Amino acid sequence: MAYFADTKVFQLNPQSPDAQIIARAAAILREGGLVAFPTETVYGLGANATDAAAVDRIFSAKGRPASDPIIVHLYDVAQLEQVARDVPPLAYDLARRFWPGPLTLVLQRGAAIPPNVSAGMATVAVRMPNHPIPLALLRAADLPVAAPSANRFARPSATTAAHVLDDLRGHVDVVLDGGAAVIGLESTILDLTKEMPEVLRPGGITLERLRALIPGVRLVTRHLQPDDAGIEAPGMLLKHYSPHAELLLFAGSAEAVRVCMQAAARERLSAGQRVGVLAADEDAPDFAATAAVVFQLGARADLPQIGTNLFSGLRELDRQGVDVILVSAVEPVGLGAAIYDRLLRAAEGRVIECKS
Ligand code: TXA
Ligand code: MG
């Protein structure tokens, strides 16, 4: 199989993917190639997780540092015994409850998984995506598949096939286009190798839902700088999901944020900058009379909708060539924790506190 040069794109019905196309893509995975596919969270860039050379191709295609470990995707819980060892009963309980779905479990790495998948660590992250296309693909290939989000390193994750092609055309053999990702935010990562399980990345399965099964579970997001010593959980860099534009994140009461964001928009516009705003539907009219480019995320209270649209909003404003993007923070509760985390990283950790 010729790796890359020309990226083939196949449109698939996400409910009943064409078996011949799935078989072709599965053959490419088995031969060590790269296949990008939709999941319910974001698009993934997949390779055979048991083939170290194929996994290396993921790192080069993304421009991803070797210190950032990759999640292994399964189509059957029985594969857990192949990719992990000493799997605790809690992992099976969680799998029964949340798989297929946006929950990634960190376990002890099994011998079938080469070290580069996990950036040399003794652990491995695994999940079963809730989407017919990767489930059919993995089953046809009969492989565990290593797949990070299908974007260039540190860029916003890809939630459509067009985003994948913008970042990776010529660096992936096949893109399976199954339409836009429904959740739009990456999976929740739960580390089960600690004495008390820890959420390393908030995502589609909320902390509140996990607490029903694991009362003591804690959210331990790390917002590391690239040069921080002793990176315990690699891949938790603060600067991540970054648009090309500068991102300004505003927090405070709704009224204070409104005043503060409008002032910032006016200031940047009069300085000659192109200004973009990611706005809840209710807040969009605040900027209608200005020259700012507004991308509406959805109703303020509709966190699932805001999550779905967040990365495509960042990419769309970038595409329109804005210099700066203004966005209001959300309360970090429920799905809001995942949205807040992505916004904070896109803002490189800076929050503008607005006082009324
Ligand atoms: O929803 C998702 O999780 C998507 C889709 C494609 O499944 N994948 C995804 O992968 O977001 P990626 O590579 O963008 O993020 C994976 C992150 C790493 O950056 C790291 O923080 C964490 O998962 N991770 C992976 N393996 C780990 C391990 N063994 N221990 C701790 N963290 C790990
Ligand atoms: Mg990613």
Side-chain angles (χ1 to χ4, degrees):
M1 173 51 52
Y3 303 118
F4 326 138
D6 183 25
T7 297
K8 290 192 184 55
V9 184
F10 297 103
Q11 317 282 331
L12 286 176
N13 178 336
Q15 296 322 317
S16 59
D18 182 284
Q20 275 182 337
I21 292 171
I22 291 291
R24 243 174 108 172
I28 287 169
L29 283 178
R30 292 201 67 86
E31 288 160 19
L34 299 189
V35 176
F37 51 80
T39 79
E40 80 281 27
T41 59
V42 298
Y43 271 70
L45 176 62
N48 177 355
T50 66
D51 176 347
V55 170
D56 271 340
R57 270 175 214 116
I58 294 179
F59 285 100
S60 359
K62 288 194 54 146
R64 181 181 177 111
S67 58
D68 193 354
I70 301 178
I71 296 171
V72 174
H73 295 65
L74 311 177
Y75 67 89
D76 191 326
V77 178
Q79 290 174 290
L80 268 180
E81 294 303 324
Q82 183 193 353
V83 302
R85 59 177 177 77
D86 305 332
V87 180
L90 178 59
Y92 288 99
D93 292 343
L94 289 161
R96 249 193 310 281
R97 177 74 189 77
F98 294 110
W99 284 0
L103 179 66
T104 294
L105 303 176
V106 176
L107 302 166
Q108 299 300 334
R109 181 163 54 86
I113 300 300
N116 64 343
V117 168
S118 297
M121 295 186 297
T123 58
V124 64
V126 290
R127 85 174 190 102
M128 188 187 297
N130 185 15
H131 196 296
I133 292 176
L135 289 176
L137 176 69
L138 271 56
R139 184 177 294 279
D142 193 22
L143 287 173
V145 168
S149 50
N151 49 275
R152 290 282 301 171
F153 180 66
R155 292 277 299 146
S157 295
T159 58
T160 67
H163 297 161
V164 179
L165 290 165
D166 282 346
D167 279 21
L168 297 173
R169 190 188 284 279
H171 299 272
V172 49
D173 294 297
V174 167
V175 175
L176 299 177
D177 181 352
V182 172
I183 297 179
L185 301 166
E186 307 83 350
S187 61
T188 301
I189 301 179
L190 178 65
D191 187 348
L192 295 182
T193 67
K194 301 278 164 57
E195 207 153 301
M196 176 51 75
E198 293 180 348
V199 171
L200 304 180
R201 177 176 76 183
I205 302 292
T206 62
L207 193 64
E208 292 80 355
R209 286 178 73 192
L210 291 174
R211 284 212 175 103
L213 266 168
I214 319 167
V217 68
R218 294 184 309 147
L219 176 62
V220 204
T221 45
R222 297 172 178 87
H223 295 142
L224 298 170
Q225 302 298 342
D227 50 1
D228 273 358
I231 293 188
E232 187 194 344
M236 294 296 160
L237 293 182
L238 182 51
K239 179 175 160 51
H240 212 127
Y241 313 113
S242 307
H244 295 306
E246 177 188 5
L247 190 123
L248 303 182
L249 177 60
F250 296 86
S253 72
E255 189 46 37
V257 166
R258 175 207 303 278
V259 171
C260 203
M261 271 176 77
Q262 283 182 317
R266 274 195 304 273
E267 185 192 315
R268 295 298 186 115
L269 285 165
S270 60
Q273 292 194 334
R274 280 178 66 80
V275 174
V277 182
L278 285 178
D281 295 349
E282 296 90 331
D283 302 329
D286 294 349
F287 301 91
T290 75
V293 185
V294 179
F295 182 98
Q296 285 185 223
L297 291 169
R300 206 185 280 153
D302 190 350
L303 291 179
Q305 187 67 45
I306 292 176
T308 303
N309 291 330
L310 183 62
F311 288 133
S312 52
L314 289 173
R315 281 178 177 264
E316 175 56 23
L317 291 176
D318 258 353
R319 208 184 57 76
Q320 299 211 24
V322 303
D323 300 298
V324 59
I325 297 174
L326 279 47
V327 60
S328 162
V330 300
E331 211 195 325
V333 172
L335 194 58
I339 295 169
Y340 184 81
D341 172 78
R342 305 314 186 268
L343 286 173
L344 187 64
R345 289 171 200 268
E348 297 179 34
R350 291 184 304 267
V351 181
I352 300 167
E353 299 290 346
C354 306
K355 306 239 157 49
S356 39

